[in-house]
Amino acid sequence: MLFKNIDQLKKKQKSFLQLKTINSIEDVDALSELLRYHEHKYYIDNDPQISDYEYDQLYKLLEEAETRNPLWTKSDSPTQRVSSDLTNSLQSVEHLSPMLSLDNTYNLEDLIEFDNRIRKICAIPEGNNVEYLVEPKFDGGSLSVVYENNQLVRAATRGDGIKGEEMTLNARTIRSLPLSADFNSLGIYKTELRGEALIRKNVFEEVNKSRETDGLPLLANPRNAATGVLRVKDPNETASRKLDIFIFQWGYAADKNGNNKIPEYKTQSNCTKTLGELGFKVAKLENKVCKNIQEVHKFITTWAEKRDSYPFELDGMVVKLNDLALQEICGYTSHHPRWAVAYKFQAKQASSTLLHVEFQVGKVGSITPVAKIEPVQLAGVTVSSISLHNEDFIRTKDIWLGDTVLVERAGDVIPYIVKSFPEQRKKSAKPIEFPKNCPSCNTSLLREEDNAAWICPNSQCPAQQVQKLIHHVSKDAMDIDGLGSSLIERFYDLGIIKDMSDIYRLDYTKIAQLEGMGEKSADKLRLSIEKAKANPIHRFLHGLCIHHLGKKISKLIAENLDYVPNLQNWTIENYTNIKDVGPVVGQNIIDFFADKSNLKMIQTMESLGVNLHQKTEDKPKQLTMDAIFSGKTILFTGTLSKMGRKEAEQLAEKNGAKVLSAVSGALNILVVGEDAGSKLSKATKLGTVEILKEDEFLEKVGKNDLL
Ligand code: IVH
């Protein structure tokens, strides 16, 4: 049984939450197990048992004890999911058993044919039922994971099915993949499991939102978002994508003598159940054992209807013969097992024709080309307008006006052009000409070297102004109900609103007289604007439309700010001292506040009653401006003798430094322990890096007790 001593551990949890340190290996083991339990409840059962804050407290307690006593750190400790300085080899490795593909079916007739084939091979008498396990076909990247003596020892991508690429460090970052599981209790010494690494649809949307803010190309769909980070060298990159993994197949399981243990489990559904009991994420709520092929079809139909509301992307269902002995009889072709098929859902892809391209001006001046296509139905939704992102996207995909294009509705909301068909190009097709001038104000467009977007540099550009105003009143910013984009456009055209401050001095008597408005609507609008004036300052900051200043960063800055106009005195270090706030957004804010007209607008808003003060409930945190390493970047190399690496990094952070992972021009300080190697020589070569010995570092941070 998973988490045998959980009741006892839960009792210990209370005392752990009150402790600053733990000092025995027994406590380290108990705490590790407790954290594993909470991870299981959170990532697998979707049923969290403690708050994130309490989890973090327990995690830090464990981390601190392990840093002091590295020998107590086991490889399956919850702290060991991402290692700071190891990278993946991505070497080619052979799977313990081939990772095959699946044959496809699309309708009931195909399924009946599949069932008949199985009945024939297995000589099932007519009238006897054949049982199938039906489960979702997850749309991500397939992985094989190997456990030996209960420990996760290897993970690899599918590759060509025989050999894949080893990416164990990346797989370890997937929180729903246990780093150890008690296979020994089942007499299994070595085993290989198959699963699909996935990203939740809402996480995918978040990733794309933040990529958009950072000016990075958007990811096409959740599948690409998941597979794109499986084969990367740096596990931190994989960790940041917050992947999940469903395990759906037992590929190999043997005892110490190499005897195959899988047949003991008799049915496919029992294998799934057993893997679930061992702590793996399996489709136990999503699957069903069906008595015959008609029931299979019925079950699939219910899933086809609810697939959009499921948190992960599915491209069909998989039908597996439930009896393992019968599976054995059916065997395999070189491509797929004969005992399983995929039933593919209605395509979310369709082809259409690109009619014309509209160039839209965004709130910070980026020009986005938007394709207008012949409307197509994609899994129940009509799509006629699709973002083409930027000029590079158009050129790389070789998209022309009049082309046939393949369209996909990814993540259920964002339609996307997968490809064009240059080989089918008509004579009348024309290349898409990107404008040289802003479609709104005719200013010459600019494109900076490392930016994918063309920009209209005119901050007074009417299209930009309107987009800024629309953003200012939007849900995530000032959240002004009843002031939608069409009303903003109308007020702008009428000259009623020219900049943000005008929103707060509307003449409601005049507005009530506008066609379609009336007194009631005007009064409603007045109430929402009055309410918005009292918003907390993070909403106000976000509403200023400063490039890269999104919702999250606005909150982080607001936590460290008493009064918005104080930002005119902030330096770049004030920004970078805040965890997760980078220099680019910092500089954008500095530039914004250096512009007197912006300051004036903010003052006007304040005089009109808009709140610019931090409220006590948003408790400001202390800035570490006077800390010894304030605004500095630091890196540790070599073996430290007085403290662990993590402890040193925490000390540096506490003293205002930002810890980097590599030597680059951005590095200020390198702390060297014994046997420092290439990092030291690289930093010395750069000539701009301050080199500190471990003792010098300790002295600077006032840790004289360690000297
Ligand atoms: S079983 C020998 N079950 O679909 C059995 N595959 O098109 C082979 N997939 O490579 C796979 N969900 O990556 C199986 N529930 C599921 C699946 C599943 C997704 C993927 C898997 C496989 C591909 C075949």
Side-chain angles (χ1 to χ4, degrees), residues 637-683:
T637 188
T639 316
L640 302 176
S641 60
K642 310 272 169 66
M643 61 197 152
R645 177 71 65 93
K646 281 234 168 78
E647 198 186 349
E649 288 177 353
Q650 277 165 3
L651 253 178
E653 276 174 351
K654 240 197 231 156
N655 284 278
K658 191 168 169 184
V659 179
L660 298 188
S661 56
V663 178
S664 71
L667 183 67
N668 302 125
I669 302 164
L670 182 73
V671 181
V672 290
E674 271 158 45
D675 298 319
S678 63
K679 283 186 179 146
L680 175 58
S681 49
K682 203 168 163 195

Side-chain angles (χ1 to χ4, degrees), residues 29-314:
D29 287 347
L31 189 50
S32 299
E33 185 71 354
L34 189 59
L35 283 165
R36 275 194 288 269
Y37 165 77
H38 285 304
E39 288 190 343
H40 184 88
K41 294 305 285 178
Y42 186 97
Y43 293 104
I44 295 177
D45 292 346
N46 271 331
D47 180 22
Q49 303 286 310
I50 47 170
S51 67
D52 289 0
Y53 177 73
E54 285 167 319
Y55 177 88
D56 286 347
Q57 252 183 302
L58 295 174
Y59 185 95
K60 281 185 190 143
L61 189 63
L62 177 64
E63 194 176 45
E64 192 273 337
E66 289 178 342
T67 313
R68 265 184 300 115
N69 306 284
L71 289 176
W72 290 355
T73 316
K74 302 209 170 115
S75 79
D76 64 346
S77 161
T79 64
Q80 300 302 300
R81 287 207 173 261
V82 193
S83 66
S84 58
D85 38 15
L86 295 176
T87 56
N88 287 279
S89 70
L90 298 178
Q91 264 168 3
S92 168
V93 289
E94 197 162 326
H95 300 302
L96 300 187
S97 66
M99 283 177 85
L100 297 180
S101 194
L102 287 167
D103 202 9
N104 289 331
T105 60
Y106 298 91
N107 49 46
L108 179 61
E109 287 74 56
D110 293 349
L111 281 180
I112 292 175
E113 213 174 283
F114 164 71
D115 181 51
N116 284 340
R117 255 189 333 260
I118 285 186
R119 292 170 160 279
K120 201 166 159 202
I121 302 173
C122 302
I124 311 277
E126 220 170 292
N128 283 24
N129 275 335
V130 178
E131 246 181 33
Y132 294 100
L133 176 74
V134 186
E135 61 192 18
K137 184 169 184 316
F138 301 104
D139 198 8
S142 52
L143 291 185
S144 102
V145 287
V146 177
Y147 288 76
E148 205 172 305
N149 196 20
N150 288 349
Q151 302 299 315
L152 170 67
V153 290
R154 192 184 88 182
T157 60
R158 179 175 182 274
D160 62 5
I162 304 296
K163 284 182 172 175
E165 275 177 307
E166 195 262 347
M167 33 67 77
T168 317
L169 295 177
N170 290 344
R172 287 177 69 92
T173 71
I174 306 177
R175 308 294 284 260
S176 41
L177 183 68
L179 298 178
S180 61
D182 196 2
F183 287 101
N184 285 347
S185 65
L186 307 176
I188 293 168
Y189 181 71
K190 189 168 185 174
T191 181
E192 185 177 47
L193 312 175
R194 304 283 149 73
E196 198 86 350
L198 301 161
I199 186 166
R200 274 176 191 272
K201 289 179 196 164
N202 62 340
V203 177
F204 165 72
E205 304 281 351
E206 274 169 31
V207 169
N208 259 353
K209 252 193 203 159
S210 87
R211 287 179 74 89
E212 194 167 23
T213 316
D214 295 344
L216 294 169
L218 299 189
L219 301 164
N221 50 40
R223 181 186 56 241
N224 290 13
T227 54
V229 289
L230 290 178
R231 294 169 56 254
V232 292
K233 287 244 164 192
D234 180 3
N236 287 292
E237 221 180 298
T238 319
S240 71
R241 248 338 121 83
K242 300 187 202 149
L243 298 182
D244 250 296
I245 189 168
F246 272 94
I247 297 293
F248 50 68
Q249 198 63 35
W250 214 332
Y252 174 93
D255 63 15
K256 271 204 163 159
N257 302 317
N259 299 315
N260 184 4
K261 299 286 284 179
I262 298 179
E264 290 176 19
Y265 295 88
K266 304 282 186 224
T267 60
Q268 183 76 33
S269 50
N270 193 33
C271 291
T272 304
K273 183 169 157 266
T274 308
L275 292 171
E277 284 163 0
L278 282 167
F280 292 91
K281 184 160 179 154
V282 293
K284 64 176 172 214
L285 298 175
E286 296 88 343
N287 69 13
K288 183 176 177 182
V289 175
C290 296
K291 293 267 163 290
N292 54 46
I293 207 73
Q294 279 71 25
E295 202 177 305
V296 167
H297 188 252
K298 231 169 132 184
F299 184 61
I300 290 176
T301 311
T302 59
W303 267 96
E305 281 160 12
K306 66 180 177 195
R307 85 195 259 216
D308 275 357
S309 56
Y310 189 63
F312 297 97
E313 193 77 11
L314 306 179

Side-chain angles (χ1 to χ4, degrees), residues 469-522:
L469 292 166
I470 292 174
H471 169 80
H472 183 80
V473 301
S474 67
K475 270 248 153 317
D476 280 348
M478 292 302 269
D479 190 20
I480 301 181
D481 218 19
L483 193 51
S485 53
S486 53
L487 207 51
I488 288 275
E489 275 169 21
R490 191 171 166 200
F491 286 177
Y492 188 85
D493 288 343
L494 291 170
I496 297 176
I497 296 182
K498 290 191 257 355
D499 73 14
M500 287 173 197
S501 64
D502 292 332
I503 296 171
Y504 302 96
R505 56 171 151 215
L506 291 177
D507 180 341
Y508 297 102
T509 326
K510 259 194 191 157
I511 285 177
Q513 285 157 9
L514 293 176
E515 205 189 309
M517 286 300 289
E519 244 168 63
K520 232 178 164 179
S521 313

Side-chain angles (χ1 to χ4, degrees), residues 11 148 150 217 240 263 273 288 303 310 317 321 328 386 403 407 444 466 494 525 607 611 662 678 688:
K11 277 186 202 139
E148 205 172 305
N150 288 349
S240 71
K273 183 169 157 266
K288 183 176 177 182
W303 267 96
Y310 189 63
M317 300 294 281
L321 183 56
E328 185 73 20
I386 307 181
D403 268 359
V407 180
S444 292
V466 169
L494 291 170
L525 186 58
S607 69
N611 166 54
S678 63
T688 50

Side-chain angles (χ1 to χ4, degrees), residues 1-17:
M1 197 187 76
L2 206 52
F3 308 112
K4 290 178 209 99
N5 305 320
I6 195 60
D7 290 336
Q8 243 172 305
L9 288 172
K10 276 187 182 165
K11 277 186 202 139
K12 285 203 101 176
Q13 178 170 310
K14 264 202 180 137
S15 64
F16 281 147
L17 281 170

Side-chain angles (χ1 to χ4, degrees), residues 537-539 541 549-561 567 570 574-575 577-582 585 589 614 618-623:
I537 57 173
H538 67 83
R539 284 189 171 276
L541 289 176
L549 182 55
K551 195 168 144 186
K552 188 175 146 205
I553 309 263
S554 300
K555 279 193 175 157
L556 294 173
I557 293 174
E559 278 175 7
N560 292 281
L561 182 67
L567 286 178
W570 277 38
N574 292 134
Y575 291 104
N577 276 341
I578 303 173
K579 192 168 176 288
D580 293 335
V581 179
V585 64
I589 305 173
Q614 175 66 265
D618 290 334
K619 242 202 300 163
K621 282 184 193 148
Q622 211 54 51
L623 267 187

